[in-house]
Amino acid sequence: MNVTRGTGSQERSRVVLSSAASVADPAFVTRATSRTGRLARPTLRGGLFLGVGGAVLIGAWAFDIRDLIFVAGVLLLVPLVALGYVIVHPLRVAVSRVFRPATVSAGLGATVTIQIHNLAQTPLVGLRWRDTAASGVTVPATQALRALGPARPGRQTTADTAVVSYDVSPPRRGVYPVGPLMLGRVDPFGLAYSEWPVGAPHDLTVTPRVTPLPGNGVSITRGEGSRHERLRHLNNDSDELIAREYRPGDPMRRVNWPATARHGEIMVRQEEQRSHPEARVVLDTTRGGRGPDAGRGYAANSAEFEHAIELAASIAVHLLDGGFRVDIVELGPCQLVAARSRPGDSAGSHDPDEGRHGGLRGDDPVSFTGPEGARALLDALAQVVPLEQAARVDAWSGDGGAPGGGSALGRQIPTFAVLVDTGEADTADLVALRSLCQPAVAFVFDTMPGRAVERLDDAGWQSVHLTRASGIAEAWLQAGQQGGERRGQD
């Protein structure tokens, strides 16, 4: 199963607004920021006019000077007329926004380019712009926009179009809504300022950091020497033991000569050596077994959780680069579903817990293969958050059998578990899963309960202990060293 999620190289929005129009989808504005509504206010100059006018009016009323009442009325009326001008005066533009790159790794930079095209037959002068974004993305302050000439019917020119850009560098993974663009203008006398939201937000996907790991992704997943050769040939799935009759068009390099000699006719191998060996990554996405204090307890583990996501991403990408098909198993409710609706999508909202139970006895693993699978996996991991453990499909009976009967998890393959704070039920399932893992490596953070780590060790898991400050490449090397020592002892 090759799971892919199209990210596209750019995201665009074309929305036409007038002074009396509203944003096409108000939900987008609310989600992006709570302060992106239409705004009209006096400028500093307009505020001075109103203040002086009010003071003159009070003085004229107190001293019964009718001439000053007229002056006060003018001072008060002019800013109000200016406010009406910036509110009613039409503003028709089309806005497109492009992210380069469309998906960025946490801590790296991306460029947001915004194109503003005047659709009105009159020039637009004195505009100001600012972009809006969710918390975590820093956008520049309000800046002046050059004058836009009148629109040319049927074509777009540099005179009626302005392009602005800025750089962002989100420090943490996630999906950040960027937009809508806020366009503001002042009246000709500079007494009033009005601002409109233009266009809909677009999601900037920030994927977890991926640390290059040493090795080719294969050495840690299997033994060496004659022992490995014996195990490979005892594997019922070994391709060398599968042969069939020769068919016209079969390449001669597939001829199985021993089988040909035994059967007296040309036999060829059914398949080449498996192009996608398999590996499994178990990711702890639950809030652990802390009972009513789960939420407060896990908040303290947020740094460990983010480090765990980066570790899982690095391991999975390393294995995918090595030609593996990687199955991702979440201990919490499933979040790595390719068809899951994302913020900003036109599809209706979807409850991430609906029909999904996660865990080793829940949904089938989500599989990724190849470079496209690596991109899809990172895009999906950008949205993973710690969730409460959903109800199990079937209660663990404690019989030591493989979770789910092993039907969903397949045969014995290399397994790497990244664990932050597993509860008792998940720990029991991991113990039962050990029979389907070779090797079985558990990267355990110091937030893991000691009893759970002991049970994993007793079951034969190879535990690699980590803290939030541990290096990912160093942890991978440590796993390889420990695995080599175990193979040497065997």
Side-chain angles (χ1 to χ4, degrees):
M1 175 181 178
N2 187 358
V3 179
T4 59
R5 300 182 66 172
T7 57
S9 61
Q10 57 187 15
E11 301 183 23
R12 298 182 180 271
S13 170
R14 185 176 179 88
V15 179
V16 180
L17 296 181
S18 68
S19 60
S22 60
V23 180
D25 188 353
F28 284 129
V29 180
T30 303
R31 182 170 52 85
T33 173
S34 60
R35 297 183 179 180
T36 56
R38 187 169 176 176
L39 171 68
R41 59 174 175 80
T43 62
L44 178 60
R45 184 183 302 174
L48 290 175
F49 267 66
L50 292 174
V52 173
V56 172
L57 179 61
I58 293 174
W61 185 271
F63 296 100
D64 194 19
I65 305 177
R66 296 186 178 182
D67 292 341
L68 289 181
I69 294 178
F70 173 78
V71 174
V74 172
L75 292 174
L76 294 173
L77 183 61
V78 171
L80 296 179
V81 173
L83 279 172
Y85 173 85
V86 297
I87 292 175
V88 176
H89 194 68
L91 175 65
R92 299 180 60 243
V93 296
V95 172
S96 63
R97 178 184 287 102
V98 178
F99 300 130
R100 292 190 177 92
T103 300
V104 63
S105 180
L108 299 182
T111 299
V112 183
T113 301
I114 304 173
Q115 187 179 80
I116 306 167
H117 174 53
N118 182 19
L119 299 178
Q121 299 300 316
T122 57
L124 296 177
V125 183
L127 292 182
R128 299 184 67 83
W129 71 274
R130 67 178 178 90
D131 211 358
T132 59
S135 176
V137 176
T138 302
V139 296
T142 304
Q143 300 182 28
L145 184 69
R146 71 169 180 83
L148 299 178
R152 301 290 182 88
R155 64 192 182 98
Q156 184 173 324
T157 65
T158 56
D160 59 16
T161 303
V163 177
V164 297
S165 63
Y166 62 93
D167 296 328
V168 295
S169 183
R172 298 186 62 176
R173 67 177 181 88
V175 178
Y176 298 89
V178 178
L181 180 72
M182 303 299 292
L183 283 182
R185 67 181 307 163
V186 295
D187 68 287
F189 299 102
L191 299 176
Y193 178 80
S194 182
E195 196 173 54
W196 290 267
V198 182
H202 292 87
D203 290 339
L204 173 62
T205 300
V206 182
T207 60
R209 297 180 182 88
V210 174
T211 300
L213 301 181
N216 59 4
V218 179
S219 59
I220 196 174
T221 62
R222 66 185 185 188
E224 302 294 343
S226 59
R227 179 174 182 269
H228 166 66
E229 290 298 319
R230 289 197 303 271
L231 289 175
R232 184 168 65 86
H233 285 92
L234 287 175
N235 187 349
N236 293 330
D237 189 54
S238 179
D239 296 318
E240 285 78 6
L241 299 180
I242 301 177
R244 60 170 174 79
E245 298 84 356
Y246 174 82
R247 299 171 186 170
D250 286 336
M252 293 302 294
R253 61 186 175 84
R254 287 195 178 185
V255 173
N256 189 326
W257 296 110
T260 299
R262 288 195 304 270
H263 291 82
E265 57 179 325
I266 298 178
M267 305 291 290
V268 297
R269 291 190 296 272
Q270 177 73 28
E271 296 290 345
E272 294 286 345
Q273 185 73 16
R274 280 187 299 154
S275 59
H276 289 297
E278 301 171 17
R280 182 188 300 121
V281 175
V282 179
L283 179 58
D284 181 10
T285 58
T286 67
R287 296 184 182 272
R290 296 177 179 267
D293 297 330
R296 294 192 300 272
Y298 210 88
N301 300 343
S302 59
E304 283 80 6
F305 182 77
E306 292 301 318
H307 201 47
I309 293 293
E310 293 180 9
L311 175 59
S314 301
I315 294 174
V317 171
H318 185 66
L319 294 173
L320 289 169
D321 290 343
F324 282 77
R325 188 193 82 178
V326 178
D327 296 341
I328 306 294
V329 180
E330 302 168 71
L331 296 186
C334 184
Q335 301 177 67
L336 297 179
V337 177
R340 178 191 180 201
S341 61
R342 294 176 51 186
D345 286 348
S346 58
S349 60
H350 177 74
D351 182 1
D353 296 344
E354 181 182 353
R356 302 174 183 173
H357 300 276
L360 299 173
R361 294 175 178 269
D363 304 307
D364 292 346
V366 182
S367 300
F368 299 88
T369 58
E372 292 184 358
R375 290 191 293 269
L377 171 62
L378 293 177
D379 187 48
L381 286 177
Q383 307 180 66
V384 172
V385 296
L387 300 174
E388 298 290 350
Q389 177 65 63
R392 297 303 182 87
V393 176
D394 57 335
W396 184 73
S397 60
D399 57 2
S407 59
L409 296 178
R411 55 185 166 272
Q412 189 180 73
I413 60 176
T415 301
F416 304 91
V418 182
L419 309 176
V420 180
D421 184 13
T422 59
E424 293 183 2
D426 286 328
T427 301
D429 283 347
L430 287 169
V431 169
L433 179 67
R434 176 62 185 88
S435 60
L436 295 179
C437 310
Q438 186 59 38
V441 182
F443 296 90
V444 295
F445 283 82
D446 54 2
T447 51
M448 277 282 292
R451 174 57 181 162
V453 177
E454 292 177 1
R455 293 185 64 186
L456 293 176
D457 291 339
D458 293 341
W461 283 85
Q462 172 192 338
S463 297
V464 179
H465 296 267
L466 303 172
T467 67
R468 68 177 67 179
S470 298
I472 292 177
E474 290 75 9
W476 181 256
L477 280 175
Q478 182 181 351
Q481 293 170 357
Q482 293 180 2
E485 294 173 358
R486 287 196 174 193
R487 289 191 295 268
Q489 293 173 358
D490 293 340

